[in-house]
Every structure is written in C-alpha cells, then in structure tokens.
Amino acid sequence: MSIEEIFHQYLDSKVFRDREKLLPDYVPEELPHRDEQIVTLAKVLAPALTGSRPSNVFIYGLTGTGKTAVTKYVLRKIREKAQHKVDYVYINCRQNNTSYRVLAELAKHLGVKVPFTGLALGEVMKRLVQGLERHRGIIVVVLDEVDNLVKRNGDDVLYFLTRVNEELTSSKVSVIGITNDLKFTEFLDARVKSSLGEEELVFPPYNAVQLEDILRRRAREALKDGVVDDEVLKKVAAIAARQNGDCRLALDILLKAADIADREGADKITQVHVDKARNEIEKNLAVDIIKTMPLHVKLVLASIYLLSRDNSSRMITTGLIYDKYKELASKLGMEPVTSRRISDIINELDIVGIINARVISLGRYGRTKVVSIGVPLKNVEEGLASDSILKTLFGIG
DNA sequence: CATCCACCGGAACGCCGGGTTT
DNA sequence: AAACCCGGCGTTCCGGTGGATG
C-alpha cells in the first residue's frame, strides 16, 4: 500500500467520526453514572468559589472507574465559574515519580523557574512558596496515582503541600490525592494521613449496564452513525465488566476494534473485530509480562510450555515441571533452584494468569499441583522467544 | 479405615544489588 | 568511602494433608 493510499484511506474512514474521543485521556462533556461522585466532589470544592480553602480530598477506586475524569471534570467547571480565582494543577505521579519532578511540575505551572535537576529539594520548596504567594488565589493540586510517588519517595511532598498554607497569606492550596491502592494510607505519616484525608471519596466499579451506556454515548461521538450495533457494545461491556468494571478497558477494546475494522476497510464493527481487539490487548499484556520475567521464572514457564506441547495426554504436575526445569537448566549449564522455589514460581505464574494451577490429590500417589497454560500458546512462545538464550537453545518460536 | 505418597506452604534466614545516609 | 537499609530471590528445615489404595 502506498503512502498516498494509506493517507487516503485514513481521511476517508468509514468508521471514525472523531477518533480522539476514544483515547484514554479524553474527558467527555458528560460523565454518566458518576453523578454521586461529581456532586460530592463539587460540594467539597465549592467553598473555593467564595475564597475559602476546600478540604483536601483522597480518592480511591480501581482502574477505569472514572477517578481522573471526574476530578478533571469538576475542576474545570469550578475554574470556569470562578474565573482566575481558582486554578488547578494536574500532576501524574507515575510519569513524575520523584519528589523533585512533582515539585518541578508544579513550579512550571506557576511560572516559577526551576532547573530540571540540581536544586536541593528545600530550595525548590522555598521558590514554590513564593510562586504560590504571587498567584493570589486558590490552587488545587491533583496528584494522580500518588501511591507511586509515596512508595518510592516517601510523603515529604504531601507533607509540604498540606502544610504550606501556614506560610501563605494571599493564596491557598488544597490537595487531591488519587490512588487505586486501597491500603495505600499505610505508607503515610499520621499527620499527612489526617490532613489529606479530610474528605474521602470512593469510586465503585461500573456494572455491565452502565458500561454499555457509556460506550454507546462515546460511540456516538467518536464513530459514524450505524457503525456499531448494540449487540457489539453489549459484548464489549460484558468483557470489561468481568475485569472489575474497568471502563478504560472497555473504551480501549472499542477503539482497537474500530481500528481493526477501519484498517480492513469495513463499514461496521462486528463481534469478530471485538474478538480480535481483545486478543490483541490480552496478547500484548501476556507477552509483556513474560518478557520482563526473571530467567528462572522464564525457564519454569518454558518447561510448562514444552510439557504441554509435547505430551498433551499427561497431566502436568509440579514434579514433572521440576524435572523438566532441571533438564533445561543443565543444558544451559546453570544451577537449578530448589523445588521449594519452583513451588513459589508456579504460584507467581498462576497469580498473573499466565498459567492455571490447582492442587489435587492422587491418593497413594501424593498431593500435587496440576498446571495448564492459561493464555494462547503462541503468546507464551512469543514472550519466551524474546529471550535470546531461550530462543537459541530450545528452538521456541 | 489406616496408611502413605508427593508434594504443599509457612518460618526463618542468608545473600546480593541498589540506593541512601553519614 | 564506609555504613546502613531495603526488597527480592533463594535456601534449609519441616510440619501438614486429601484421598486412592491395600
């Protein structure tokens, strides 16, 4: 296909009206099924309109429950309403995962100059105080995925942000912390915990019906009319509902399915496209997990892979795996780990969903774990084959 | 019904690499 | 540079166990 053709096909899409509306960071005009959270958050933040400092808020919820979208949504509204007297800064702590970067990000927003490295943290804080003071108004600092920051760097930034008001006269700062780790507060200093947790907000997962509704609305914005049927949306919703009601996943599947349909030049998104999309997403997930596993874990997985490929009749048990594993290890000329460790590795693989393991009893012949591979063999193959050592030695892939 | 297999899985500990503090 | 802390991997030791089998 020539470049011209590619461009032409893209411009001439039969599927998309506005593809951007399906991207993960798009915040729609309406957020259905989050009314309660919107109202609560709005109530908490409303005092900002009259110039008093809103309480700090802590927001919990699993991935894809609308935490970020709702927060941005409410803050945008309030900023419009208050014209310049209220502002907010959104900082994602996964991307900015050190104290310094978070503070620098905040500084940038306030127009304070800080070098991207080199200053002592205390100096950055000093400049920030000045910057905040100059701002003259209320500033809401949103720290998304804040658990990433705290687990890595401690809570000194949070401490600073919750205490900085004492040094300010013409400005006020509130903090919104967002996390999907429910037991995250354990990592916090008691003082930070109490000042940050002035208000708490929990986002429950969406159910299948709600997901379908969201998908339908989004499809109207992003796709051309009649491109996707209710049946198809229902299917996507059902899949995501099973994954803890993860709306991001639902939208992701829909986007992928639309992309696939578009590439095929189809004018409708079908169940087949959805299946392909899901496979692709799952495959990427599995392959990524496998790629990043430590060598011995890979070896164990390779053993399971070989066993399930070669003798399909036999049950795959821990003992069998261990024997195979030792064989592979010796071929590589490396010391095998103990069977005890293998037991743990099998459990680890089970937890991430690459394999399924369950203990059974064979009476006289003992008690063991029966293992089967839980993702398509091809994916395992692809993940393992990315390791040059395994690839050359066992001819996988 | 007791036995006994082939593992399970908890506990405690050592080692190692890295990051931080002094 | 030295001391220190931390988390992950791995080991040793070992008590525990479901149920087919004799």
Side-chain angles (χ1 to χ4, degrees):
Chain A
M1 200 188 285
S2 77
I3 290 185
E4 268 315 305
E5 281 168 321
I6 293 170
F7 290 167
H8 184 261
Q9 195 189 356
Y10 186 77
L11 287 170
D12 204 35
S13 169
K14 292 181 196 148
V15 173
F16 288 113
R17 188 199 303 282
D18 183 357
R19 184 172 180 278
E20 283 197 23
K21 303 269 163 88
L22 281 176
L23 295 179
D25 49 2
Y26 169 68
V27 180
E29 263 314 299
E30 288 182 353
L31 294 171
H33 311 296
R34 290 288 95 131
D35 302 331
E36 200 183 303
Q37 285 74 25
I38 291 173
V39 169
T40 313
L41 189 57
K43 276 184 188 161
V44 173
L45 295 178
L49 292 170
T50 63
S52 59
R53 187 187 76 81
S55 298
N56 297 324
V57 189
F58 218 88
I59 297 179
Y60 299 98
L62 298 174
T63 45
T65 50
K67 304 181 294 292
T68 308
V70 165
T71 307
K72 282 187 176 172
Y73 176 84
V74 174
L75 282 169
R76 272 179 202 173
K77 292 269 171 190
I78 213 161
R79 181 165 65 182
E80 270 172 38
K81 194 84 182 172
Q83 296 140 334
H84 301 307
K85 288 201 294 255
V86 182
D87 201 358
Y88 75 89
V89 189
Y90 173 86
I91 300 171
N92 185 307
C93 302
R94 190 205 293 263
Q95 286 144 29
N96 304 289
N97 57 7
T98 64
S99 305
Y100 191 93
R101 273 196 231 152
V102 169
L103 292 180
E105 199 63 23
L106 178 56
K108 195 168 81 185
H109 186 88
L110 295 168
V112 178
K113 284 210 182 355
V114 285
F116 52 86
T117 178
L119 281 190
L121 224 50
E123 178 59 27
V124 181
M125 288 178 181
K126 207 185 289 172
R127 295 192 195 182
L128 268 177
V129 173
Q130 291 167 9
L132 289 165
E133 188 74 336
R134 226 179 307 125
H135 189 272
R136 299 184 174 280
I138 288 173
I139 301 156
V140 181
V141 179
V142 182
L143 298 176
D144 204 347
E145 311 198 56
V146 63
D147 42 331
N148 274 293
L149 173 68
V150 173
K151 282 175 193 163
R152 212 176 242 267
N153 270 267
D155 52 11
D156 47 352
V157 168
L158 290 179
Y159 187 74
F160 168 73
L161 288 174
T162 51
R163 288 311 191 82
V164 70
N165 287 303
E166 294 163 12
E167 300 180 41
L168 298 175
T169 53
S170 57
S171 301
K172 288 162 187 165
V173 175
S174 323
V175 181
I176 298 181
I178 302 178
T179 173
N180 49 28
D181 183 350
L182 296 183
K183 21 176 220 121
F184 157 69
T185 43
E186 288 172 16
F187 294 91
L188 294 177
D189 180 283
R191 286 169 299 184
V192 174
K193 201 194 296 183
S194 65
S195 60
L196 193 58
E198 287 169 347
E199 297 284 343
E200 297 197 352
L201 203 49
V202 177
F203 280 58
Y206 297 102
N207 63 38
V209 178
Q210 295 169 334
L211 285 171
E212 191 190 333
D213 183 42
I214 294 168
L215 285 170
R216 189 169 9 250
R217 289 162 186 253
R218 202 64 75 84
R220 264 205 294 272
E221 289 189 60
L223 306 175
K224 295 198 167 159
D225 292 333
V227 166
V228 61
D229 293 337
D230 280 0
E231 286 308 301
V232 175
L233 292 182
K234 231 179 214 109
K235 176 165 180 162
V236 177
I239 295 167
R242 250 174 281 133
Q243 286 291 323
N244 308 316
D246 184 346
C247 187
R248 184 186 311 173
L249 177 64
L251 293 167
D252 201 23
I253 294 174
L254 184 59
L255 174 60
K256 273 258 157 58
D259 276 338
I260 292 168
D262 199 35
R263 232 179 291 141
E264 289 177 2
D267 49 12
K268 267 193 158 242
I269 301 172
T270 64
Q271 313 245 0
V272 179
H273 294 133
V274 172
D275 287 332
K276 282 187 191 165
R278 182 168 49 153
N279 284 341
E280 201 173 305
I281 289 168
E282 275 174 10
K283 180 187 142 191
N284 288 341
L285 223 63
V287 171
D288 283 352
I289 292 172
I290 294 171
K291 275 184 186 168
T292 58
M293 290 189 310
L295 183 58
H296 283 281
V297 182
K298 279 184 186 167
L299 279 178
V300 172
L301 183 58
S303 309
I304 299 169
Y305 167 80
L306 290 174
L307 286 169
S308 60
R309 197 190 59 181
D310 297 343
N311 53 3
S312 48
S313 52
R314 223 91 110 103
M315 271 198 308
I316 301 173
T317 63
T318 307
L320 232 49
I321 295 170
Y322 190 48
D323 290 342
K324 193 78 183 173
Y325 159 79
K326 277 194 293 195
E327 184 191 321
L328 296 189
S330 78
K331 271 196 205 172
L332 285 172
M334 52 198 325
E335 285 290 298
V337 299
T338 353
S339 55
R340 176 67 186 85
R341 180 87 256 273
I342 297 299
S343 179
D344 277 344
I345 290 177
I346 289 173
N347 286 340
E348 286 165 23
L349 287 168
D350 188 24
I351 285 171
V352 296
I354 303 283
I355 64 170
N356 303 308
R358 71 197 155 89
V359 295
I360 59 154
S361 177
L362 298 153
R364 168 108 315 176
Y365 305 102
R367 215 157 96 84
T368 184
K369 216 169 240 177
V370 177
V371 170
S372 62
I373 293 203
V375 299
L377 280 186
K378 273 202 306 194
N379 299 352
V380 176
E381 209 174 280
E382 190 178 327
L384 290 174
S386 72
D387 194 312
S388 51
I389 304 170
L390 294 178
K391 194 172 181 176
T392 51
L393 264 172
F394 309 120
I396 298 169

